[in-house]
Amino acid sequence: MEDSIQSKSPAGGLLSHGYTSCAGCGASLAMRYTLEVLGRETIVVIAAGCWSVIAGSFPYSALNVPVFHTAFETAASVAAGVKAGLMMQGDTDTNVLAWAGDGGTFDIGMQALSGVVERNEDMIYVCYDNEAYMNTGIQRSSSTPWGAWTTTTPGDCTKSRPKKNMVEILAAHRIPYAATASIAYPHDLMEKVRKAKEKSGTRFIHIFTPCPAGWKSNPEHTIRLARLGVETKIFPLYEVEGGLIYRINRIPKGIPVTEYLKLQGRFRHLLERDVEYIQRNVDIEWERLQEKVRHDKL
Ligand SMILES: Cc1ncc(C[n+]2csc(CCOP(=O)(O)OP(=O)(O)O)c2C)c(N)n1
Ligand SMILES: [Mg+2]
């Protein structure tokens, strides 16, 4: 099989060796797995963020597919324009992949993304979520979880609001396909990209990508954290068809959240009661997600 995780060079040659991420960067693996499935006939539109740097600066590129580097807030609208241009040329085969971080998706790119989804523009949009504006020095985003330290939520002023639920917002748009994925489960992630590739309209994949620099974690723990995120129920793996039909792809082991939190310096200051608060909220959100699955079966 040409496109397999075991390929010698990352993404079957579409992601070159020597890309300039930090050690243990989860977002790099997310791109690798995504391109493994989408293949060479893909144009990637990258919003300002870590991936603007990881891909390299012109005339060099670590990606062996065409890349359109664009402004922070415009991944979705530029991807829609690229798709329109391809259609004008009669090209219906090339995949258009919008690629943005959590800041470029949950915050500043939200309006463009909402417009694209409402018009059901034909593209795959991937948000690689490292839960802060990492490229500019670890500022809080609306994806940063409650209680986390960032440079704009320092000391006693750690994040006091919960993480925004982006998949729910897109489900409310009745998006044809939305899914969560984690780099610790590459087969599930790649299956979701494959599913998205086969569909048309706007398809959204939210990938959980730990960041050692911003999470103050050991680069060796990136995959462990990506796995613990899922197994603690903090970041469940699920998909939504048509904004209405929910499917959970993996039943989490229900590992206590403390196992996940204790590997990260950004949570070092948390007291026991804070950890209990996080656990309670995780359990409530998990119950809510299960309700949505049950509701479909009625
Ligand atoms: C309008 C605008 N505001 C601010 C910036 C500076 N900026 C570039 S990347 C970035 C953070 C990106 O965060 P995210 O989307 O989460 O990606 P990450 O850096 O974490 O990969 C910021 C604030 C910009 N390029 N344009
Ligand atoms: Mg980010």
Side-chain angles (χ1 to χ4, degrees):
M1 194 168 102
E2 191 192 318
D3 292 338
S4 80
I5 296 178
Q6 283 78 31
S7 310
K8 282 203 183 86
S9 91
L14 299 180
L15 173 58
S16 306
H17 296 292
Y19 55 87
T20 59
S21 72
C22 304
C25 169
S28 308
L29 279 175
M31 179 69 88
R32 172 182 171 178
Y33 295 139
T34 303
L35 283 184
E36 287 239 7
V37 177
L38 293 185
R40 199 167 284 281
E41 296 298 307
T42 304
I43 296 175
V44 189
V45 175
I46 300 181
C50 287
W51 252 103
S52 313
V53 178
I54 298 168
S57 53
F58 185 81
Y60 306 105
S61 178
L63 295 176
N64 290 320
V65 290
V67 176
F68 192 134
H69 286 286
T70 188
F72 194 16
E73 62 274 48
T74 58
S77 42
V78 169
V82 168
K83 179 69 190 183
L86 291 169
M87 294 304 282
M88 290 288 287
Q89 295 173 353
D91 178 346
T92 52
D93 296 332
T94 302
N95 305 299
V96 177
L97 173 66
W99 188 267
D102 49 293
T105 303
F106 288 55
D107 295 340
I108 196 167
M110 169 96 160
Q111 182 175 348
L113 177 59
S114 174
V116 152
V117 178
E118 193 276 331
R119 295 191 301 276
N120 201 22
E121 305 273 4
D122 197 28
M123 72 178 69
I124 297 174
Y125 187 113
V126 170
C127 170
Y128 65 95
D129 185 5
N130 52 25
E131 301 192 317
Y133 298 5
M134 295 310 184
N135 184 237
T136 41
I138 324 171
Q139 293 89 11
R140 153 217 209 274
S141 78
S142 57
S143 171
T144 304
W146 183 92
W149 166 92
T150 67
T151 55
T152 48
T153 52
D156 293 337
C157 307
T158 53
K159 178 99 183 293
S160 60
R161 296 287 299 152
K163 181 183 177 91
K164 189 188 275 181
N165 189 329
M166 202 58 211
V167 170
E168 284 308 294
I169 290 169
L170 296 177
H173 286 66
R174 301 294 178 252
I175 188 169
Y177 183 71
T180 64
S182 161
I183 53 160
Y185 299 90
H187 292 283
D188 174 80
L189 190 163
M190 292 169 79
E191 184 51 34
K192 284 165 176 167
V193 178
R194 204 177 322 273
K195 235 184 216 180
K197 187 181 179 184
E198 282 162 14
K199 292 177 185 290
S200 55
T202 318
R203 296 141 277 164
F204 179 84
I205 303 180
H206 180 192
I207 308 183
F208 189 55
T209 57
C211 165
W215 295 14
K216 305 294 172 212
S217 56
N218 186 332
E220 283 176 21
H221 289 161
T222 293
I223 299 298
R224 186 182 297 185
L225 285 167
R227 189 178 305 119
L228 281 169
V230 172
E231 299 299 353
T232 54
K233 303 183 279 194
I234 285 175
F235 195 94
L237 299 182
Y238 68 103
E239 54 194 346
V240 192
E241 307 254 2
L244 293 167
I245 300 166
Y246 283 74
R247 200 174 307 113
I248 292 170
N249 308 109
R250 183 179 178 84
I251 302 298
K253 294 194 173 103
I255 293 172
V257 295
T258 184
E259 297 302 311
Y260 169 79
L261 301 172
K262 74 182 186 194
L263 295 177
Q264 304 173 62
R266 66 177 175 154
F267 294 119
R268 190 173 298 133
H269 53 277
L270 293 181
L271 305 172
E272 210 178 309
R273 66 165 188 269
D274 298 326
V275 175
E276 283 166 14
Y277 175 79
I278 292 171
Q279 183 69 62
R280 238 183 354 263
N281 278 294
V282 163
D283 292 341
I284 289 169
E285 288 300 327
W286 171 246
E287 196 43 51
R288 270 205 192 113
L289 178 62
Q290 287 180 301
E291 260 325 302
K292 285 179 194 133
V293 177
R294 280 198 285 270
H295 184 264
D296 285 344
K297 299 216 168 93
L298 293 178

